[in-house]
Amino acid sequence: MIIFPHTYHYRLIIGSLFVAFITLGVYSYVSVSKLDEYNSYISQEKKLLENELSEMIIRYENIRTEDEILKERLTQSKVRIIRILDSVKAVAPSASLLSYYRAEIKDLQHEKDEVLDLLAKSQEENKRLQLAALEAKLNFQSIKNTTKNLKVKNKDLAVVNTALSNKIDNASFLEIEQLEAQAVKRITKKRIVSTEKYKKANKLHVAFTVSKNKFVDEGDKYLYLQILSPSNNIVADEGSVNFGKESLIYTKKIKVAYNKEDVEVETIVTTDEDQPFTKGVYFVNVFNDNKRLGSTSITLK
């Protein structure tokens, strides 16, 4: 029998190489297909990001506000969006880079929502201050015994209100509503009996609601009640408190346990024996630090 060993080995080698060539070809085809799908996905995501960023720039340009601080925040956010858009256009994107840009866009959307919320509160505060100024003006017109010193103080308070309305930074301050005050003739177990006669009054009852505000931290808050008599003196003076270069003389210090919910507050003020009630208008102010939260008045006949 005749054997050709070299020929047999060559056939095995050629067969193995053919199988390897076919396997490599199939793998290369699959890899190229997957790469094409990946590049198509990245291209589509990049286009979507560019469109979304362009729309955000347009929305920011349509927001209008007179508040300088909010204007600055909007400008900074818009600049940040433009930089991200330029990066998306200029840099060859990848899945990880697109994911990073997505996270940046989410942060920008959250920041925009926060700024819009602050803008709404700023507009609300401006309306409230305008209404308070109008009510104060009407009250002042009815006062016949107002001294020159009181007029100066009221003018200063109006200036403070205007300054505060222009410097609202993040709406993180307390607010009150439903501020009411009345002179008291007597107090029973069931009710408080009010009066408009200065000779019958011996106390003042003040009540208001501290409004809930998610931007204000929980904890004990201190409010200062200030009551001015018709002669521009502090009723039941308890002393003064300093806020930097400013000081406040107050009638009563009130501690409020604030937990981001409405808090009902009411208190009774008794005048000093040597300063009984007199005929005229009493002004009632409520402060938190050096910010006036609200004011009202009582007229005794």
Side-chain angles (χ1 to χ4, degrees):
M1 185 174 70
I2 301 173
I3 299 175
F4 302 95
H6 292 291
T7 303
Y8 177 73
H9 287 307
Y10 289 152
R11 288 177 179 176
L12 287 177
I13 292 171
I14 291 171
S16 299
L17 290 173
F18 179 75
V19 172
F21 177 77
I22 294 300
T23 302
L24 180 62
V26 172
Y27 176 77
S28 299
Y29 175 78
V30 172
S31 297
V32 169
S33 297
K34 287 184 177 181
L35 180 60
D36 289 341
E37 291 178 1
Y38 175 79
N39 289 334
S40 176
Y41 164 76
I42 293 298
S43 178
Q44 291 177 1
E45 282 296 304
K46 177 182 178 182
K47 190 65 178 176
L48 288 174
L49 276 175
E50 291 177 0
N51 292 338
E52 189 170 348
L53 289 166
S54 298
E55 291 176 0
M56 288 181 70
I57 292 172
I58 294 173
R59 287 197 295 270
Y60 268 84
E61 290 176 343
N62 291 332
I63 298 175
R64 296 289 183 269
T65 177
E66 297 300 323
D67 190 294
E68 295 300 328
I69 295 177
L70 292 182
K71 275 185 180 179
E72 180 63 22
R73 289 192 63 177
L74 289 170
T75 300
Q76 291 176 358
S77 297
K78 181 181 173 182
V79 170
R80 185 179 170 194
I81 295 172
I82 293 173
R83 288 175 178 171
I84 294 176
L85 179 58
D86 291 341
S87 297
V88 172
K89 289 181 178 179
V91 178
S94 64
S96 61
L97 191 58
L98 290 175
S99 177
Y100 168 76
Y101 288 143
R102 281 289 181 194
E104 288 288 300
I105 290 176
K106 186 176 180 181
D107 289 342
L108 287 167
Q109 289 173 336
H110 176 74
E111 183 176 348
K112 185 198 73 172
D113 293 340
E114 182 179 340
V115 171
L116 290 177
D117 191 28
L118 292 176
L119 178 60
K121 284 189 171 291
S122 174
Q123 293 171 343
E124 224 175 85
E125 176 68 4
N126 284 333
K127 290 180 181 179
R128 188 186 70 79
L129 290 172
Q130 290 172 1
L131 179 60
L134 178 59
E135 291 177 352
K137 183 178 179 181
L138 294 175
N139 287 333
F140 296 155
Q141 290 175 351
S142 67
I143 299 173
K144 296 181 180 180
N145 299 324
T146 303
T147 64
K148 182 179 179 180
N149 187 38
L150 181 58
K151 289 181 180 178
V152 173
K153 283 181 178 277
N154 288 333
K155 184 178 180 180
D156 290 341
L157 288 174
V159 172
V160 172
N161 281 337
T162 302
L164 288 174
S165 65
N166 293 330
K167 293 182 180 179
I168 298 173
D169 50 2
N170 57 5
S172 299
F173 51 79
L174 290 176
E175 293 180 328
I176 67 170
E177 55 188 15
Q178 300 176 348
L179 174 59
E180 297 178 353
Q182 59 183 343
V184 177
K185 180 165 57 177
R186 65 178 179 274
I187 300 176
T188 67
K189 292 182 178 180
K190 295 183 178 180
R191 68 190 182 100
I192 295 175
V193 182
S194 63
T195 182
E196 294 182 353
K197 305 294 184 180
Y198 77 93
K199 289 185 178 180
K200 295 183 178 181
N202 56 19
K203 293 179 177 62
L204 293 178
H205 174 254
V206 180
F208 55 87
T209 300
V210 179
S211 306
K212 63 181 180 180
N213 186 338
K214 64 181 180 180
F215 295 104
V216 177
D217 294 333
E218 295 183 0
D220 292 337
K221 308 296 180 182
Y222 291 95
L223 305 180
Y224 295 92
L225 179 64
Q226 182 193 69
I227 302 176
L228 292 173
S229 70
S231 58
N232 200 33
N233 292 320
I234 302 296
V235 175
D237 183 352
E238 283 193 1
S240 65
V241 60
N242 294 323
F243 304 107
K245 296 181 179 180
E246 299 180 3
S247 63
L248 173 70
I249 302 174
Y250 60 90
T251 298
K252 196 167 189 177
K253 183 178 181 180
I254 303 171
K255 180 179 178 181
V256 177
Y258 184 75
N259 59 352
K260 295 184 182 292
E261 297 292 338
D262 289 346
V263 181
E264 303 294 334
V265 178
E266 60 178 315
T267 186
I268 297 292
V269 174
T270 304
T271 60
D272 298 330
E273 292 183 1
D274 58 345
Q275 291 183 343
F277 288 111
T278 60
K279 183 188 297 185
V281 178
Y282 287 78
F283 290 94
V284 179
N285 301 304
V286 178
F287 290 86
N288 175 232
D289 293 336
N290 61 343
K291 175 179 175 58
R292 188 174 66 165
L293 304 184
S295 63
T296 186
S297 63
I298 306 170
T299 301
L300 297 180
K301 302 176 181 178

